[in-house]
Amino acid sequence: MTDVTEDEGPLDHPDTLPAWLAEQRSHLLSLPAHALLLHGPSGLGQYELALSLAQSWLCEKPGREQGEPACGMCPSCQQVHSRGHTDLVVLMPETLMLSLGWPLSEKAQKDIDDKKRKASQEIRIESVREAVQFAELTSGRGRGKVILVYPAEAMNAASANALLKTLEEPQGSLRFVLATEAAHELLPTIRSRCQAFALAEPTPNQALAWLTQYVPGASPTDRETALHASGNRPMDAAKIIASGAHSVWAALPLALQKGRVDAVSGMSGAQLLDAQHKLCHDLWAVKLGAAPRFYAAQDLPKPPPARALAAWAEQLKTLSRRIDHPFKPELLIEDMVQQAKQCINSRV
Ligand SMILES: [Zn+2]
């Protein structure tokens, strides 16, 4: 397993923002929008771009020009870097905040420490209410205030509704940046109050350059396999390397065809589901005469009939809804391997 440092925050320094995101940041900083919604599939850097925008809006460099990215040096930039900026509130699931090194509110941290409850995987309504209160205060450092929401789809209906009014009529110089990997799951009322921006994909060279810098311990072959497996989405590729999934990737389609549970023993249910979604996608592609996107053509078995693939796709969709809370994870994985085997070997 390769060590990926997620919590040291090198990405929030403006100079280290990946090239494809820096290009997009220049454009976004020139917009007057008070609420931006960055959307696109996972792994393209929504969070990194959102944070860099927030940092740039708050930057205090003297003589800074409109649209210029954050300097990375001033007291404000340093406060963002140390996760303690008085005019920046981040709304994220607590589990994600903890893994990215953001402090929780005193009460939330105490409840978790006292084992009254577990860290939440949703954006809690209590956090949204605190953000709304924050929005009503005057800016501490005088450069305006920012609320960053990521992933925005982690707000449940109550949390989203609690944010709506502030999002619609922000006080003074408050700005929002929402980032999402599932824009279709957001309330239409949230979407309509933001200026939407679809993230662009990196070029393969940009993706590889970033991955080389971010996961220096991985071999070039590992990096290429992971990038291919991610569909050229660099942040997802880094997660694939961290999970070790890249080392079984090439052998996975044939192992699933044989129903070999041992071949996926290092994978979580969510990782296996992702790998199976991609396999299902690629088998469809090959069936239709297109090139596979996530697996190498020579690693794929012969595609089964369309009816079997459609049934498998439906099963995977159903699984997506309960994959985060499996009753018995090991049984779920066995079931998933059996379903895959059945589909791939189907001849009707
Ligand atoms: Zn600065």
Side-chain angles (χ1 to χ4, degrees):
M1 206 176 272
T2 311
D3 185 30
V4 175
T5 48
E6 266 194 317
D7 54 355
E8 290 178 7
L11 291 173
D12 62 6
H13 191 285
D15 297 339
T16 54
L17 194 70
W20 74 95
L21 295 177
E23 292 164 9
Q24 298 176 79
R25 177 182 57 192
S26 303
H27 167 67
L28 290 168
L29 283 175
S30 70
L31 300 178
H34 83 269
L36 284 173
L37 173 64
L38 312 179
H39 65 94
S42 69
L44 296 181
Q46 277 91 329
Y47 164 70
E48 288 79 4
L49 182 56
L51 185 57
S52 186
L53 287 172
Q55 185 177 347
S56 300
W57 288 333
L58 295 167
C59 175
E60 293 166 0
K61 183 189 158 196
R64 190 172 157 269
E65 288 178 25
Q66 171 83 8
E68 196 182 327
C71 72
M73 313 286 284
C74 71
S76 171
C77 282
Q78 284 171 12
Q79 282 192 6
V80 173
H81 191 76
S82 62
R83 310 284 193 261
H85 200 292
T86 44
D87 293 329
L88 171 64
V89 160
V90 297
L91 286 175
M92 292 185 198
E94 289 168 343
T95 46
L96 186 61
M97 290 189 78
L98 292 169
S99 77
L100 291 171
W102 289 95
L104 303 184
S105 75
E106 232 171 89
K107 171 147 188 356
Q109 188 65 57
K110 188 168 185 313
D111 286 352
I112 294 166
D113 289 345
D114 293 347
K115 298 201 164 38
K116 282 188 191 158
R117 62 178 180 85
K118 287 186 177 169
S120 173
Q121 295 187 2
E122 288 186 330
I123 295 175
R124 303 176 75 231
I125 189 165
E126 290 82 355
S127 312
V128 175
R129 288 191 182 128
E130 284 169 19
V132 168
Q133 280 176 357
F134 156 86
E136 284 160 8
L137 302 170
T138 48
S139 158
R141 299 190 62 90
R143 297 282 310 183
K145 287 183 294 183
V146 180
I147 295 179
L148 185 160
V149 190
Y150 173 76
E153 70 272 18
M155 287 189 288
N156 58 32
S159 300
N161 278 318
L163 194 66
L164 269 184
K165 192 167 180 301
T166 313
L167 188 59
E168 188 166 41
E169 297 166 7
Q171 308 277 320
S173 51
L174 173 68
R175 299 180 92 159
F176 281 90
V177 56
L178 285 72
T180 178
E181 290 160 5
H184 60 280
E185 290 178 17
L186 297 178
L187 289 184
T189 41
I190 291 276
R191 283 205 305 265
S192 67
R193 281 161 176 76
C194 300
Q195 183 164 351
F197 178 81
L199 257 79
E201 287 197 13
T203 64
N205 281 343
Q206 286 174 331
L208 198 58
W210 178 82
L211 202 59
T212 305
Q213 195 183 7
Y214 193 61
V215 198
S219 73
T221 314
D222 287 350
R223 287 194 285 263
E224 287 201 15
T225 306
L227 259 185
H228 197 185
S230 72
N232 197 43
R233 294 176 195 160
M235 281 71 181
D236 280 356
K239 284 184 193 160
I240 287 171
I241 293 177
S243 73
H246 63 292
S247 58
V248 296
W249 197 257
L252 200 61
L254 292 182
L256 288 172
Q257 186 180 25
K258 290 180 183 149
R260 281 185 44 211
V261 179
D262 61 302
V264 300
S265 61
M267 296 173 99
S268 70
Q271 285 162 353
L272 182 58
L273 180 65
D274 176 61
Q276 293 195 348
H277 265 304
K278 288 171 173 169
L279 179 55
C280 189
H281 169 280
D282 277 5
L283 289 173
W284 269 117
V286 172
K287 194 160 186 61
L288 299 171
R293 175 163 191 190
F294 306 102
Y295 293 87
Q298 72 269 17
D299 296 331
L300 292 172
K302 185 170 174 281
R307 214 166 69 173
L309 272 177
W312 191 30
E314 206 48 49
Q315 286 169 343
L316 293 174
K317 208 164 111 189
T318 310
L319 265 174
S320 311
R321 292 186 209 115
R322 59 187 183 95
I323 196 72
D324 290 333
H325 309 284
F327 176 54
K328 286 192 173 160
E330 59 289 351
L331 285 185
L332 179 74
I333 288 197
E334 268 183 52
D335 277 356
M336 289 170 74
V337 172
Q338 284 313 313
Q339 279 177 359
K341 180 184 173 189
Q342 209 172 17
C343 165
I344 299 168
N345 293 304
S346 173
R347 288 293 161 251
V348 285

